[in-house]
Amino acid sequence: MRALIAGSGPTGLILGAALARRGHQVTSVDRDPGPTGDAWIRRGVMQFEHAHGFRPQVPMTLQAEWPAALNTWRKLGAHPVEAPNPAGSRQVVGVLSRRSTFERALRHAAEQQAGLTLRTGHVDGLVVDRGQVTGVRIDGSLVEADLVVDASGRSGRLGRSSAPDSGPDLDGDCGLAYVDRTYRLRPGAEPGPMVSPIAYMADFDGYQCLVFLHEAGHFSVVLVRPTADTALKALRFEAAFETACRAIPALAEWTHPDRAQPTSAVLVGGALRNVYRRQVGTPGLVAVGDSVATTTPTRGRGIAMACMQVIALLGLLDAGSDPATIAEPFGAWCDHHIEPWVADHIAIDGGMVRRWQGDDLDLSRPLTTDLIAAAVEADPRIGQHAGGYFAMTALPETLRPAEPLARAVYQAGWRPAYAPGPTRDELVDAIRVAVPAA
Ligand SMILES: Cc1cc2nc3c(=O)[nH]c(=O)nc-3n(C[C@H](O)[C@H](O)[C@H](O)COP(=O)(O)OP(=O)(O)OC[C@H]3O[C@@H](n4cnc5c(N)ncnc54)[C@H](O)[C@@H]3O)c2cc1C
């Protein structure tokens, strides 16, 4: 089969390499020519420089489908983290790496992959003959293919109408905005406080903080606020960001100048949406990765969801599905296994923003999964339902049976405690002193 993949991001390259390893003739096209030495400006892929956490689905997919890329990633410093599982053995729970290191590893391995051709160019649109996609136009020239894969990311629109009423099937503004900054631990310095083997994550009264540990002592500090909270927008200024880091005890430990030094400016995250798009349905075309679904980044689900999709698509092809009509069974799989994560995020984000703005829980409505899971602290029986949800090995609905337990906890007046640190109002006062004009 001749496969043409639009987009050489993580999804395009992992799928492309896996198809090439099965003997298919694969071309992956990206408008981005790739790195030149240390420099790599990923125009249109703003997340390239932003904090990333890597769930176990990512190394597991590479191990199964493209071990050379996993080896390259490790050689570039990526560090898989293991932890004990309930059965008493150890398992990988994540990988410490910067996103840029991950993409460099994939690009490097792709250049070596037999059967996979990397091409630089802009995919302008599809070529359709009698209702079937037969290729694409790249910078004006025609390239034929038996299967065209749209792996062009969150702005991917291949084959989709631009009519105003033809938007995504699910679409919710996260209501959250964030800024982050990268640092590196000084030689010999230990990481600061963690709440999991790969990250620190805490909710405060009106905002949220995350720290992702990456490879070789690199780490990212992320501050998340409701988009509507314009006073906290000032966190994009370096003086305000650093003031916040001094004021929040856990961040003060992580970023203390004796422990770490900044390696980037403060990076402002772009608009974030929870989006799910069904397959277009034109034979010869299939969409995968972020062009199908995007979710709020704070739970680090994006690349894991892309990997899950790649594995599902390959499974269908391996089982003999016709590539020309593969979007049909694959779309049904995505509707069942991917859409619920987007719907979950829309519900979680909406509730979180309302609570940050001072509302109490609305116990007349179904509890969102984050609230059900949080109540495990008050009722450990909830834990037996939560493991698969946290690991993304079971769908959000698997937490539903624990809802009555969680509801009882909240009805008795229990609420998740905020982490020790300034309230939103105190943080605003502190950063106003640092950046009076903001
Ligand atoms: C701020 C932020 C933080 C995130 N944090 C995490 C995290 O912690 N963990 C996690 O798992 N996920 C995270 N994600 C999600 C993750 O980054 C995405 O899921 C991932 O990038 C999806 O890969 P992709 O290959 O599908 O799309 P992309 O990475 O967007 O790649 C698409 C590629 O297509 C190319 N392209 C687009 N249009 C064309 C065209 N017309 N012609 C040619 N080429 C084209 C682009 O240049 C790009 O290289 C985060 C996302 C954001 C925005």
Side-chain angles (χ1 to χ4, degrees), residues 6-13 29-32 42-48 50-55 58 99 103 107 121-124 151-156 158 178 180 212 269-272 288-291 293-306:
S8 303
T11 306
L13 292 184
V29 189
D30 204 293
R31 58 194 178 194
D32 181 331
R42 295 283 274 127
R43 283 202 182 82
V45 187
M46 64 96 174
Q47 66 263 38
F48 182 68
H50 282 276
H52 269 64
F54 294 88
R55 288 174 172 269
V58 184
R99 159 75 184 234
E103 282 218 63
R107 273 276 178 157
H122 186 273
V123 178
D124 304 323
S152 60
R154 54 185 48 222
S155 54
L158 271 188
Y178 76 84
D180 58 359
F212 287 107
L272 301 171
V288 193
D290 268 20
S291 64
T294 61
T295 51
T296 317
T298 48
R299 283 165 200 259
R301 288 174 175 168
I303 302 178
M305 288 198 309

Side-chain angles (χ1 to χ4, degrees), residues 35-390:
T36 311
D38 282 347
W40 195 4
I41 300 165
R42 295 283 274 127
R43 283 202 182 82
V45 187
M46 64 96 174
Q47 66 263 38
F48 182 68
E49 299 291 350
H50 282 276
H52 269 64
F54 294 88
R55 288 174 172 269
Q57 284 87 348
V58 184
M60 281 163 62
T61 301
L62 293 179
Q63 180 64 56
E65 293 296 339
W66 197 15
L70 184 58
N71 285 340
T72 308
W73 195 18
R74 292 181 79 139
K75 274 192 200 138
L76 293 185
H79 178 64
V81 182
E82 291 186 351
N85 61 20
S89 54
R90 295 181 72 75
Q91 68 184 49
V92 172
V93 291
V95 178
L96 307 183
S97 171
R98 285 170 294 171
R99 159 75 184 234
S100 53
T101 306
F102 176 60
E103 282 218 63
R104 276 175 193 281
L106 297 186
R107 273 276 178 157
H108 185 74
E111 281 160 9
Q112 321 292 320
Q113 178 60 53
L116 173 61
T117 303
L118 298 184
R119 178 169 170 173
T120 303
H122 186 273
V123 178
D124 304 323
L126 300 171
V127 178
V128 182
D129 183 17
R130 280 164 284 175
Q132 164 120 14
V133 174
T134 56
V136 293
R137 276 177 285 107
I138 302 173
D139 297 322
S141 60
L142 168 70
V143 178
E144 291 186 337
D146 304 309
L147 177 65
V148 172
V149 179
D150 179 4
S152 60
R154 54 185 48 222
S155 54
R157 298 284 182 276
L158 271 188
R160 295 184 194 275
S161 160
S162 54
D165 59 350
S166 62
D169 298 283
L170 276 185
D171 185 4
D173 185 344
C174 300
L176 305 168
Y178 76 84
V179 287
D180 58 359
R181 191 173 198 194
T182 58
Y183 299 78
R184 191 169 194 184
L185 294 170
R186 294 188 184 279
E190 290 294 322
M194 307 274 277
V195 296
S196 83
I198 59 169
Y200 168 81
M201 185 177 197
D203 285 342
F204 296 81
D205 185 359
Y207 63 99
Q208 191 179 52
C209 295
L210 299 99
V211 180
F212 287 107
L213 185 57
H214 307 306
E215 82 279 18
H218 292 278
F219 66 93
S220 304
V221 173
V222 187
L223 296 172
V224 188
R225 65 172 171 92
T227 313
D229 190 336
T230 47
L232 284 180
K233 207 173 169 185
L235 288 167
R236 69 188 187 282
F237 297 112
E238 189 176 307
F241 190 92
E242 289 299 321
T243 298
C245 288
R246 298 289 93 73
I248 299 164
L251 299 191
E253 281 192 56
W254 271 99
T255 62
H256 192 285
D258 289 345
R259 186 193 291 256
Q261 57 186 350
T263 54
S264 77
V266 178
L267 306 164
V268 181
L272 301 171
R273 302 194 77 78
N274 292 302
V275 164
Y276 180 74
R277 294 189 184 91
R278 296 216 161 83
Q279 297 291 320
V280 174
T282 314
L285 173 69
V286 65
V288 193
D290 268 20
S291 64
V292 171
T294 61
T295 51
T296 317
T298 48
R299 283 165 200 259
R301 288 174 175 168
I303 302 178
M305 288 198 309
C307 286
M308 287 153 60
Q309 291 177 51
V310 166
I311 294 291
L313 186 63
L314 291 168
L316 289 167
L317 288 168
D318 290 348
S321 289
D322 178 359
T325 52
I326 195 85
E328 203 179 303
F330 179 64
W333 182 89
C334 289
D335 289 350
H336 186 70
H337 292 92
I338 298 296
E339 185 174 7
W341 292 107
V342 178
D344 187 51
H345 264 285
I346 290 174
I348 289 176
D349 293 348
M352 193 159 82
V353 170
R354 283 192 292 277
R355 292 197 298 283
W356 281 355
Q357 288 167 339
D359 290 2
D360 191 17
L361 303 187
D362 182 354
L363 289 173
S364 67
R365 300 170 64 171
L367 289 177
T368 52
T369 49
D370 60 331
L371 291 171
I372 300 174
V376 72
E377 218 181 304
D379 185 343
R381 289 175 297 172
I382 293 170
Q384 63 184 299
H385 301 277
Y389 169 76
F390 284 124

